[in-house]
Amino acid sequence: MHAPSAAAVNPTTTTTPVLKAVLWDMDGTLVDTEPYWINAEISLVTAHGGHWDEEMAHTLVGSALENSAVVLQNAGVKLSVREIIDHLSAEVIAGIRKVIPWRPGARELLSELHAQGVRCALVTMSERTLATEVVNALDGDYFEFLVTGDEVTHGKPHPEPYLKAVAQLRQSDPELTVAHCAAMEDSVPGVASAVASGVATIAIPNAVALAEDPRRTTWETLAGKTYDDVATVIAHHSRKSGVAL
């Protein structure tokens, strides 16, 4: 399947795109699981006689798990990539089964978007087992589908995860393009992935600060944000990029 690109949008008309879909990152955006990941990494590296700290862990925030596992191997972990991923994921799952640290305003915005008929999908580098735990803890069936790290060839910061989500949305709505979509992200790799896909990107920095970038919109929090706020970002992105319908 070939995913659509921003170039597929008709540039000759001038109607502002309607918000049709929001693509949500999970770790750090929907839920603040980054402390769980960081603690799991530190414990694992330490158990193998290596050194790993919070600052080092921040360099992996938002990265594909396979890439993170290789970095941890280089830090001294004597396990296979698959074993590292399984171990870290199990630790995070154990954490969220005790307490799910929802990000402020995330569930409220998700619920409002759903009520407004906006399609939502989860686009995460966590694997499906962990993502399903989080989705099942929500109080509604807000996500139409999940794109997870174990289901893509190239993880974030590559645009494949977001383009795959857009392609899946287009299966039931061929007129939908990246111009109708917004992405919610918190990390450097995640924002890079979303921006490269062509979707309007909203960054909500969490564990790691993000450098200024005019290609995205930055919010301090999702608390108090509404459908209208996301629709405004779509319209601004359309004007700025010269992409309209």
Side-chain angles (χ1 to χ4, degrees):
M1 177 186 300
H2 294 286
S5 66
V9 180
N10 182 357
T12 61
T13 55
T14 57
T15 303
T16 300
V18 174
L19 173 61
K20 290 188 174 185
V22 175
L23 311 175
W24 289 75
D25 172 55
M26 188 179 78
D27 297 292
T29 301
L30 179 62
V31 287
D32 191 10
T33 49
E34 298 302 353
Y36 292 156
W37 287 105
I38 290 170
N39 290 338
E41 292 167 14
I42 292 174
S43 296
L44 181 61
V45 175
T46 301
H48 284 258
H51 171 71
W52 196 251
D53 57 33
E54 189 167 341
E55 183 177 355
M56 297 166 76
H58 281 162
T59 66
L60 301 184
V61 170
S63 298
L65 287 176
E66 291 82 358
N67 296 340
S68 297
V70 171
V71 173
L72 296 182
Q73 285 179 327
N74 292 335
V77 178
K78 302 172 183 65
L79 297 173
S80 69
V81 167
R82 183 69 258 166
E83 288 171 329
I84 292 173
I85 292 173
D86 288 345
H87 176 83
L88 296 179
S89 297
E91 290 293 305
V92 176
I93 288 172
I96 64 173
R97 284 179 176 173
K98 296 176 182 176
V99 178
I100 299 184
W102 302 106
R103 293 287 291 147
R107 287 179 295 173
E108 293 81 0
L109 179 56
L110 184 60
S111 177
E112 181 182 346
L113 292 170
H114 182 73
Q116 293 279 358
V118 177
R119 302 166 70 186
C120 289
L122 195 69
V123 182
T124 176
M125 288 299 90
S126 289
E127 295 192 341
R128 182 163 288 268
T129 302
L130 171 55
T132 300
E133 291 271 349
V134 173
V135 170
N136 287 345
L138 289 164
D139 59 2
D141 295 327
Y142 300 129
F143 289 113
E144 186 173 323
F145 60 85
L146 286 62
V147 175
T148 57
D150 50 331
E151 299 171 350
V152 295
T153 302
H154 304 289
K156 302 172 185 178
H158 195 280
E160 180 188 341
Y162 281 101
L163 291 176
K164 181 173 182 177
V166 174
Q168 190 159 338
L169 291 166
R170 283 172 55 85
Q171 290 179 9
S172 57
D173 181 5
E175 295 185 358
L176 179 146
T177 73
V178 293
H180 298 103
C181 303
M184 302 288 184
E185 273 287 356
D186 74 296
S187 69
V188 174
V191 168
S193 173
V195 168
S197 75
V199 303
T201 304
I202 300 170
I204 314 96
N206 183 17
V208 179
L210 302 176
E212 292 294 327
D213 188 338
R215 298 175 299 170
R216 69 164 197 263
T217 296
T218 303
W219 291 347
E220 291 186 3
T221 179
L222 291 177
K225 296 299 184 181
T226 66
Y227 167 93
D228 289 338
D229 294 315
V230 183
T232 297
V233 171
I234 287 277
H236 177 70
H237 179 72
S238 172
R239 291 192 300 270
K240 183 171 59 176
S241 63
V243 175
L245 300 182

